[in-house]
Amino acid sequence: DVKVTQSSRYLVKRTGEKVFLECVQDMDHENMFWYRQDPGLGLRLIYFSYDVKMKEKGDIPEGYSVSREKKERFSLILESASTNQTSMYLCASSLSRGSFSPTDTQYFGPGTRLTVL
Amino acid sequence: QKEVEQNSGPLSVPEGAIASLNCTYSDRGSQSFFWYRQYSGKSPELIMFIYSNGDKEDGRFTAQLNKASQYVSLLIRDSQPSDSATYLCAGVTWGAGGTSYGKLTFGQGTILTVHP
């Protein structure tokens, strides 16, 4: 079974703090993704990575950065946390780069509910 | 903007009925589609994927894909209260050069409630 883990289930931070969210997958997947999920707005892609040290912006990258130094680990960084970044953050991974196949399936971690005060 | 739209819901069905969840997509290049179920406070979990026109059945679930009309649907037969959740439709997003990098575009989700 694919396993995607996230460093924290719940996190409370103060405005202006630098926040690190970590995600680890154990299935040698090529692709990793960070989303945030807010009521009424659905899942929105922040950043993704298709290889070590490679990253691409998603739909809402402002205020975030990412790091992928090892294949299994993908970190999301909030450079200076703000209250509008209070959200559920979901990490996902998938095997391939897209080839009309089930290997496009994304597997999600349990999520981190971040509150910024 | 390439989009995936789901019927707005929420959808309420009695136990034992068929629940029908629908999704339309705007990108004709999308080939693969996924249905996820998300319980309140939990992360999405895959129910099934489909990439060929027609029906695909897995237990009580049937996914249907019609590429000409650009819609995807999920039927849940013999609905149970445990099926109450938000259902997310997603399609593979293709970028320039024909590479998707595995990106998925998700619909907003449809909340399903199955009442006893």
Side-chain angles (χ1 to χ4, degrees), chain A residues 1-5 23-32 68 70-73 92-96 103 105-108:
Chain A
D1 274 355
V2 176
K3 192 166 183 183
V4 181
T5 57
C23 176
V24 178
Q25 51 93 3
D26 68 356
M27 287 300 292
D28 202 34
H29 281 179
E30 300 284 342
N31 308 317
M32 297 187 76
R68 193 168 181 200
K70 293 185 178 181
K71 192 174 186 179
E72 68 271 18
R73 190 178 299 267
S93 71
S94 69
L95 179 61
S96 81
T103 54
T105 301
Q106 290 187 14
Y107 296 90
F108 286 84

Side-chain angles (χ1 to χ4, degrees), chain A residues 6-67:
Chain A
Q6 295 183 228
S7 50
S8 306
R9 289 301 310 275
Y10 300 93
L11 209 52
V12 180
K13 295 292 181 180
R14 297 240 175 244
T15 302
E17 280 192 81
K18 191 168 186 176
V19 181
F20 293 86
L21 302 181
E22 289 212 315
C23 176
V24 178
Q25 51 93 3
D26 68 356
M27 287 300 292
D28 202 34
H29 281 179
E30 300 284 342
N31 308 317
M32 297 187 76
F33 308 83
W34 275 108
Y35 297 90
R36 63 178 285 177
Q37 188 174 35
D38 302 287
L41 296 177
L43 276 167
R44 293 182 291 168
L45 181 64
I46 304 171
Y47 267 97
F48 69 100
S49 169
Y50 54 88
D51 203 348
V52 175
K53 297 191 186 293
M54 304 304 289
K55 61 186 179 185
E56 293 280 342
K57 293 179 181 179
D59 300 318
I60 51 163
E62 296 78 19
Y64 303 94
S65 62
V66 291
S67 173

Side-chain angles (χ1 to χ4, degrees), chain B residues 26-106:
Chain B
S26 60
D27 182 8
R28 280 203 172 271
S30 292
Q31 298 285 337
S32 308
F33 296 90
F34 302 81
W35 281 101
Y36 286 84
R37 176 177 60 199
Q38 186 175 23
Y39 292 114
S40 181
K42 302 292 186 181
S43 59
E45 55 181 347
L46 180 73
I47 300 174
M48 57 195 307
F49 56 85
I50 186 167
Y51 46 92
S52 298
N53 260 332
D55 296 359
K56 180 182 178 183
E57 191 173 310
D58 184 1
R60 295 187 296 113
F61 298 95
T62 299
Q64 299 173 317
L65 173 58
N66 184 319
K67 293 183 181 179
S69 300
Q70 295 180 241
Y71 83 76
V72 192
S73 63
L74 180 70
L75 301 178
I76 307 174
R77 291 182 301 280
D78 188 24
S79 296
Q80 301 296 310
S82 58
D83 294 325
S84 298
T86 298
Y87 289 80
L88 301 169
C89 171
V92 173
T93 306
W94 292 89
T99 302
S100 79
Y101 298 117
K103 280 179 61 177
L104 298 182
T105 299
F106 285 85

